[in-house]
């Protein structure tokens, strides 16, 4: 081939080179057809050319020397060569040509198109293969295009959209690994950098970009979502970018290179990209919004044209499902774009904001969700995994140690917001906050979830101002009180997404559980929500939060305790609703969140552990630390005690009730398992009918308290037919007192696994497992487990973490309920008592009282297993003489009595030591009084010889003496929280007299002793704790003595032989204690009364007293009493049919109404004027609201009529025969009878009920009523109306107001803003309206003015018609339940107590707890367990000591409260002063002074005859 240039001499060439450099390469690169250059030669020439051109610089280069080479390099022979090396070297040379000739390329537009087409389609994809032989040339080409920006020449090529799209497509494919040439090694970082710079230059220099390019760039942000495999296309018309499934395997700790490149492009060209992306989203968002608006317009048009086919369902209008799918993809991209490059969304946010006001709910929902995630910095990968709040974790979380956040390790889900959205787009943020008022609950619930994410992420890490954060927290609290359950559930779930630190430091700023209106307080209120789904979520979250906070609670962190300390009480308080679903949920939360069975998740210490080491706690696993084995039993016990310590008194009752329930249900379960074994899977050889019938009763008993009794019954039958003997044994392991905790836990776990496997192939597996698991929770011995006893005893002695008080409580309950678990530890307790016995110069140990009580309970059942050595008995004697507090002496006597083999000598020895030289104030004198009170009960015959000395001590030396005169205060009657020695001595002295009567050994003299005692108690009750012959008693003593006397009345009346001594007049005086001026007296008396009635130990007449609480100012006492009354009414209405199979109903609560009218007739506040009678109607309304139903209202009305047909037979206690005419209470009865009939009719009208005529005549109690002998008198009384004018109207207004108040507390509607409800302040009265109070005259005048004309007249006419009205009310409906209308008289009431009185003479003092019941047939005993459980019955084994803090924790009566329906506070009304001498001094103490009868002369005289009282003055 001829040379292309003429040779130049060397010297001349050097001169030219010094001036300008020119290309020396002169070999041909092109050829004619048929004369192709061999590939090897072509490669050599291209390599030489490339090497030379790379050394040339643009400034010192002669561009004309490139003309030939440039032309040949652009020839189709090279650009379309089949050899990859030729193409790579050609591209390398071409980019150098473009570099050297910049800015003007020596090519035409078509040539540039061919050149870039080859580079884009051949060179750039080859970069994906790092093992390519020409990879260096590929990298050089990319680097040159990026640095020189030769790529911008694409913008000069006409119709280059395809090339532009391809360059973006290929670059992102190379970086993402989806190119044709699969990468064998990781790409070099400079590839990503150069490609990014190349594309940025192209975007920056292009006037416009093809829509496909925007699709490609935007699609890269979906790479943050591992689930995304489909590209995004605008309305489905563009070519989407397919994401490979390999994206799901992205390394979470680094961002994808393609994502980084797209992010850099958007941030490098924010203005242009903002315009492009705005247009991109405008096609989808705006079009969808317009479609929604047009659909809304069409909807309004159709509403006028076709009402029948119209629907308010917003989901049926607006975008199609396909449009919504595209919208969801687009909104997902918006989340990630904000995280990566928020500047490009400056024009998109207003479009998104417009969606918030769209007509279509789906668009609003999508926009609300998207904006919430944008503000929170949540991208396309979705919400980060919420923190795991594990209440069973050990060691528990602390505020000082932040748990590792999994989301912080995952860049895909880690919330991140480059800038605070509220500052960048304040208007959009404000509109977003306004969505909490959206009409759609779906939008509100989504908004609630969104603000929760904003709070948990601190606005994506950008931070929130204190004011903004507080506002969101307040909004979260309001959402918990929303009217829609979906919103409330969303709000509760938000709390569950918070970490423990956020709950304390963020949510805690609004206040703790005890502060109304705070988030935590509202969350606690939701545990009583009317929707079960909300209750379940709220109770679980609240219990889990407290369980996680346990570490700080144990560390006595005041902040955490103030915020979360009340959570367990709120949870356990739901027990009082008596709703089976709530109680089942409570059991689940109790044993999964508060006291998880698996806590702590460490193995116990084992003697077989290698080198003596067992599994250790986290703190003990350090390299430099000595391994210390953890004691799981102690750790678990500490949690139990911490839980108990955090409970209030109401919740403590529930806590101990749950444990007591285990004893009751375990008996039923044992009987059920025994009958399942007899049932033998349905195959029986004998007694088939009897076994089935008994098994049916047991299953009905077990299923009765479960949420779905029908399903539970089917499940229990299925379990019986399975006949899995191993499962039977596992359940017995869980119930056995001999099982340690590990045995119980493993048995529970194995049982659950067996049931799950046995029913895995059936559809009912979930139901069966749920039913049996719930029952297993209830029957397992989890808290009162023998494994916990050593730790409980250790805490009671050491007071570690201030848990001694709680430890003593649990130990006391264990000794009462399950003393069997103390068998292994009773010797240790006794040894402790023996070593710490008191003496005249040494006081008792702090924990001695509880240990003695535990020993007394254990000894009453297992006396043979107690130590009987002389040292132990001497120690008990020391406690009996010097123990403190005095209750310790009482329990020591019980222990000695149960253990000693020579009881008579023991009793006589103790009596002599107590009586001999007894002196008030001497060392141990209170202990001696307590010892005497227990001895006269346990050993009446042995101490009878010293009865005179004992009585002398109790009466003359104690009760008739006043050693501490009153302090001169104006209050003559008040309650004192602490009792001094004199008050305690009088209380013990009175108990001596009461116990002596209870255990009196001679029936012949019982009447004399009992009458004297009852007269004495009458004086204490009637004269408010002070004997008439003793003056100057301190006010604090009076209240305690009156309470003790009233309780003694109740205790005595539990014995059949002693109840008749309580006369009707004395009973009426006793009833007034329920209206005492001091709340502790009323509460203490009512607590004991409800307890004995629930145990069925008192006659029916005592059911009258609770109805005197109509004016009770304490909301808690009043509501608890109402709940208890309703529960008893339900029990009585169903108990007889359940026990006997009879269709007759028990009418105890209905027949009490006659006694209530008699009690009101003798009430000290009674007056026959209209104003007082209207006040007395409140008692009747209170009774009706608690007892009356549509079925029994006719019976109650008939009883009210019968009262008017009788005379009063009660003789006033102060009346003396021969001293003048006896006052008559007949008119009072007739007034109240008419008042009751009027009130019942008004009550009937308000409820739209119908009173029926009864076929039988009810007999009233003969001790209260007698028949009218004269027919004329009876006729005259029946025809006369005893009500004064104005009563009808007043009663009508009162009934309607009461019913409205009741309905408002039980209404279905709820306010959306619960903060307003909780923020309301209840009005409190200055005085306590204990009895009744007058209505202000101006209120009466205003209420009368609002009454419709003629209303009172019509009511009066109706009342005057009398019999005609009743005839008109006659109905043909038959009663569904056959009822016995004959009320039993006092004699018949006595008959019902025959069983109660058996063994009472041998019964110890309730404080001693030695009453034993026989073990009969276990299965037969279990038949009645459900009835006993409903009655709240328990063995009469213990009574409280004098101090209220030593009160027994009996199981609360199953109440009938409505879920989340609180009764409005009882408004305290001003009192009405009575003209009595004692009203003025005691005005501040009692709202209504009583009219007192004259002093009871015969009662005082009888007491003086027996007890040698001094004469009463006057």
């Amino acid at each position: 081939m001829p040379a292309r240039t003429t040779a130049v001499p060397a010297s001349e060439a050097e001169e030219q080179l010094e001036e300008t450099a020119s290309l020396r390469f002169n070999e041909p690169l092109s050829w004619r057809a048929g004369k192709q250059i061999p590939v090897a030669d072509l490669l050599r020439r291209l390599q030489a050319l490339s090497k030379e051109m790379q050394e040339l610089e643009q400034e010192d280069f002669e561009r004309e020397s490139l003309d030939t080479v440039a032309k040949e390099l652009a020839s189709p022979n090279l650009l379309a060569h089949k050899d990859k090396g030729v193409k790579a070297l050609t591209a390398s040379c071409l980019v150098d040509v473009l570099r050297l000739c910049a800015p003007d390329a020596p090519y035409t537009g078509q040539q540039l198109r061919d050149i870039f087409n080859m580079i884009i389609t051949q060179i750039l994809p080859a970069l994906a293969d790092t093992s390519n032989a020409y990879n260096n040339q590929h990298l050089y080409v990319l680097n040159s295009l990026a640095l020189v920006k030769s790529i911008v020449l694409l913008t000069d090529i006409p119709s280059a959209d395809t090339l532009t799209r391809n360059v973006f497509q290929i670059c992102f494919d190379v970086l993402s690994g989806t190119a044709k040439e699969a990468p064998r090694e990781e790409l070099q970082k400079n590839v990503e950098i150069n490609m990014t710079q190349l594309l940025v230059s192209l975007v920056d220099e292009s006037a416009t970009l093809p829509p496909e390019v925007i699709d490609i760039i935007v699609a890269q942000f979906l790479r943050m979502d591992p689930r995304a495999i489909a590209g995004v296309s605008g309305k489905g018309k563009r070519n989407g970018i397919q994401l490979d499934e390999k994206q799901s395997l992205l390394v979470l700790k680094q961002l994808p290179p393609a994502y980084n490149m797209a992010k850099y492009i958007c941030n490098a060209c924010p203005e242009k990209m903002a315009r492009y992306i705005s247009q991109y989203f405008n096609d989808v968002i705006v079009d969808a919004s317009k479609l929604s608006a047009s659909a809304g317009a069409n909807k309004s048009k159709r509403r006028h044209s076709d009402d029948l086919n119209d629907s308010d369902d917003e989901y049926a209008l607006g975008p199609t499902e396909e449009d919504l799918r595209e919208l969801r993809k687009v909104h997902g991209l918006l989340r990630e774009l904000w995280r990566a490059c928020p500047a490009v969304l400056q024009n998109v946010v207003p479009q998104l904001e417009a969606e918030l006001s769209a007509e279509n709910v789906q668009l609003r929902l999508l926009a609300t969700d998207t904006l919430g995630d944008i503000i929170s910095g949540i991208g396309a990968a979705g919400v980060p995994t919420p923190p795991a709040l594990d209440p069973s974790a050990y060691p528990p979380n602390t505020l000082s140690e932040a748990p590792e956040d999994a989301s912080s390790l995952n860049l895909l889900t880690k919330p991140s917001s480059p800038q605070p959205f509220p500052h960048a787009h304040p208007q959009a943020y404000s509109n977003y906050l306004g969505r909490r008022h959206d009409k759609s609950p779906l939008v509100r619930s989504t908004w609630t979830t969104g603000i929760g994410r904003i709070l948990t992420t601190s606005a994506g890490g950008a931070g929130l101002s204190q004011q903004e954060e507080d506002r969101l927290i307040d909004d979260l609290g309001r959402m918990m009180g929303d009217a829609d359950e979906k919103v409330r559930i969303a709000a509760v779930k938000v709390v569950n997404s918070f970490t423990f630190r956020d709950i304390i430091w963020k949510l805690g700023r609004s206040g703790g559980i005890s502060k109304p209106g705070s988030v935590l307080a509202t969350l606690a209120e939701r545990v009583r929500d009317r929707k079960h789904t909300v209750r379940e979520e709220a109770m679980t979250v609240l219990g889990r939060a407290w369980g996680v906070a346990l570490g700080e609670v144990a560390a006595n962190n005041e902040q955490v305790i103030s915020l979360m300390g009340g959570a367990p009480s709120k949870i356990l308080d739901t027990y009082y609703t008596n709703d089976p679903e709530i109680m089942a949920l409570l059991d689940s939360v109790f044993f999964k969140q508060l006291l998880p069975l698996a806590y702590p998740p460490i193995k116990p210490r084992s003697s077989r552990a290698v080198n003596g080491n067992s599994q250790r706690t986290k703190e003990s696993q350090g390299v430099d630390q000595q391994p210390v084995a953890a004691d799981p039993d102690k750790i678990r016990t500490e949690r139990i005690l911490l839980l108990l310590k955090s409970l209030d008194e109401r919740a403590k009752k529930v806590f101990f009730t749950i444990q007591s329930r285990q004893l009751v249900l375990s008996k039923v379960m044992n009987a059920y398992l025994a009958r399942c074994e007899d049932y033998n899977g349905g195959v029986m050889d004998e007694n088939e009918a009897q076994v089935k019938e008994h098994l049916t009763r047991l299953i009905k008993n077990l299923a009765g308290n479960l949420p779905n009794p029908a399903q539970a019954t089917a499940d229990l039958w299925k379990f019986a037919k399975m006949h899995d003997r191993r499962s039977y044994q596992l359940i017995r392991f869980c119930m056995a007192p001999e099982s340690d905790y590990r045995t119980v836990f493993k048995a529970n776990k194995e049982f659950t696994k067996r049931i799950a496997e046995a029913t895995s192939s059936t559809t009912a597996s979930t139901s069966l497992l749920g039913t049996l698991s719930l029952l297993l929770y209830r029957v397992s011995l989890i808290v009162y487990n023998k494994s916990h006893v050593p730790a409980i005893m250790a805490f009671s002695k050491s007071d570690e973490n201030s848990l001694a008080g709680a430890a003593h409580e649990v130990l006391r309950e264990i000794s009462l309920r399950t003393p069997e678990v103390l068998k292994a530890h009773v010797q240790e307790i006794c040894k402790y008592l023996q070593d710490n016995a008191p003496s005249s110069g040494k006081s008792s140990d702090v924990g001695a009282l509880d240990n003695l009580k535990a020993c007394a309970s254990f000894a009453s059942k297992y006396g043979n297993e107690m130590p009987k050595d002389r040292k132990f008995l001497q120690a008990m004697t020391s406690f009996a003489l010097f123990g403190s507090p005095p209750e310790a002496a009482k329990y020591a006597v019980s222990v000695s009595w149960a253990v000693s083999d020579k009881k008579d000598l023991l009793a006589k020895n103790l009596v002599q030591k107590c009586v001999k030289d007894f002196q008030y104030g001497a060392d141990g004198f209170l202990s001696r009084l307590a010892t005497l009170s227990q001895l006269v009960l346990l050993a009446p015959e042995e101490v009878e010889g010293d009865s005179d000395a004992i009585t002398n001590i109790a009466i003359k030396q104690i009760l008739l003496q006043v050693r501490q005169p009153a302090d001169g205060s104006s209050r003559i009657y008040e309650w004192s929280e602490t009792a001094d020695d004199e008050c305690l001595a009088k209380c013990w002295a009175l108990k001596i007299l009461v116990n002596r009567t209870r255990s009196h050994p001679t029936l012949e003299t019982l009447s004399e002793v009992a009458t004297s005692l009852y007269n004495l108690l009458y004086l204490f009750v009637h004269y408010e704790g002070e004997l008439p012959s003793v003056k100057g008693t301190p006010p604090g003593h009076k209240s305690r003595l009156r309470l003790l006397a009233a309780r003694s009345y109740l205790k005595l009346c539990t014995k059949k032989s002693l109840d008749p001594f309580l006369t009707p007049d004395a009973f009426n005086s006793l009833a007034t204690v329920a209206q005492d001026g001091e709340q502790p007296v009323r509460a203490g008396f009512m607590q004991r009364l409800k307890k004995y009635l629930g145990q069925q130990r008192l006659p029916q007449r005592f059911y009258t007293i609770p109805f005197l609480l109509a004016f009770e100012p304490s909301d808690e006492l009043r509501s608890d009493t109402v709940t208890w009354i309703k529960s008893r009414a339900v029990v009585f209405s169903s108990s007889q049919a359940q026990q006997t199979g009879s269709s007759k109903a028990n009418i105890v609560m209905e027949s009490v109404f006659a006694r209530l009218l008699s009690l009101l007739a003798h009430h000290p506040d009674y007056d026959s004027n209209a104003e007082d009678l209207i006040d007395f109607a409140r008692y009747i309304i209170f009774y009706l609201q608690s007892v009356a139903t549509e079925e029994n209202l006719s019976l109650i009305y008939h009883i009210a009529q019968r009262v008017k047909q009788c005379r009063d037979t009660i003789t006033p206690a102060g009346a003396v025969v021969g001293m003048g005419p006896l006052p008559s209470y007949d008119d009072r009865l007739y007034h109240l009878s008419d008042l009751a009939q009027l009130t019942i009719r008004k009550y009937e009208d308000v409820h739209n009920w119908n009173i029926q005529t009864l076929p039988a005549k009810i007999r009233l109690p003969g001790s209260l009523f007698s028949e009218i002998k004269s027919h004329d008198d009876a006729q005259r009384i029946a025809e006369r109306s005893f009500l004064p004018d104005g009563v009808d109207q007043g009663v009508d207004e009162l009934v309607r107001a009461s019913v409205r108040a009741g309905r408002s507390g039980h209404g279905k509607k709820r306010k959306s803003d619960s903060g307003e409800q909780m923020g309301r302040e209840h009005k409190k009265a200055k005085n306590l309206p204990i009895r009744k109070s007058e209505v202000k005259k101006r209120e009466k005048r205003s209420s009368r003015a609002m009454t419709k004309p003629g209303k009172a007249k019509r009511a009066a006419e109706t009342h005057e018609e009398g019999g005609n009205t009743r005839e008109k009310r006659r109905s043909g409906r038959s009663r569904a339940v056959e009822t016995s209308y004959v009320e039993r008289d006092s004699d018949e009431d006595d008959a019902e107590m025959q069983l109660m009185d058996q063994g009472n003479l041998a019964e110890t003092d309730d404080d001693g707890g030695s009453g034993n019941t026989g073990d009969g047939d276990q299965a037969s005993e279990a038949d009645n367990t459900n009835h006993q459980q409903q009655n709240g019955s328990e063995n009469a084994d213990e009574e409280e000591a004098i101090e209220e803090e030593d009160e027994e924790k009996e199981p609360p009566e199953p109440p009938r409260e409505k879920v989340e329906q609180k009764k409005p506070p009882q408004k305290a009304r001003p009192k009405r002063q009575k003209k009595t001498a004692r009203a003025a001094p005691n005005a501040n103490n009692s709202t209504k002074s009583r009219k007192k009868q004259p002093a009871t002369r015969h009662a005082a005289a009888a007491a003086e005859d027996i007890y040698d009282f001094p004469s009463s003055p006057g």
Side-chain angles (χ1 to χ4, degrees), residues 815-816 819 852-863 890-891 893-899 903 934 937-939 998 1399-1414 1435-1439 1448:
S815 65
L816 290 175
L852 283 168
K853 193 169 186 179
C855 287
S857 300
F858 183 84
S860 65
K861 294 185 177 180
Y862 307 100
K890 180 185 65 177
Y891 292 125
V893 173
S894 298
V895 173
S896 301
W897 185 259
V899 172
K903 292 181 172 54
Q934 193 72 352
L937 182 67
L938 296 176
R998 290 173 60 199
N1400 273 351
L1401 292 178
E1403 178 189 25
T1404 64
D1405 182 7
D1406 288 346
D1407 292 320
S1410 64
N1412 257 343
T1413 57
N1435 294 332
D1437 49 8
E1438 289 259 340
E1439 187 196 0
E1448 284 184 25

Side-chain angles (χ1 to χ4, degrees), residues 353-373:
E353 180 184 351
E355 277 189 322
L356 292 174
S357 304
E359 179 71 19
N360 183 264
V361 67
Q362 290 288 2
L363 292 179
R364 297 202 310 274
L365 182 66
L366 195 56
T368 303
D369 187 29
T370 303
L371 270 178
D373 285 350

Side-chain angles (χ1 to χ4, degrees), residues 1428-1465:
Q1428 293 173 356
Q1429 184 183 9
Q1430 288 178 337
N1431 290 346
S1433 60
E1434 59 183 43
N1435 294 332
D1437 49 8
E1438 289 259 340
E1439 187 196 0
E1440 63 192 69
I1442 296 176
E1443 288 80 13
E1444 223 177 14
E1445 57 269 19
D1446 291 331
E1447 190 88 9
E1448 284 184 25
K1449 308 298 188 301
E1450 79 276 10
E1453 195 65 22
R1456 297 289 170 184
E1457 292 182 4
K1458 294 291 184 181
V1459 180
E1460 204 202 21
Q1461 294 169 352
K1462 295 184 177 179
K1463 190 172 183 64

Side-chain angles (χ1 to χ4, degrees), residues 1058-1078:
L1058 296 176
D1059 178 66
F1061 293 100
L1062 181 63
T1063 63
D1065 181 70
F1067 176 85
N1068 293 340
S1069 180
L1070 172 65
T1072 60
V1073 179
Q1075 296 180 316
D1076 190 273
E1078 296 295 332

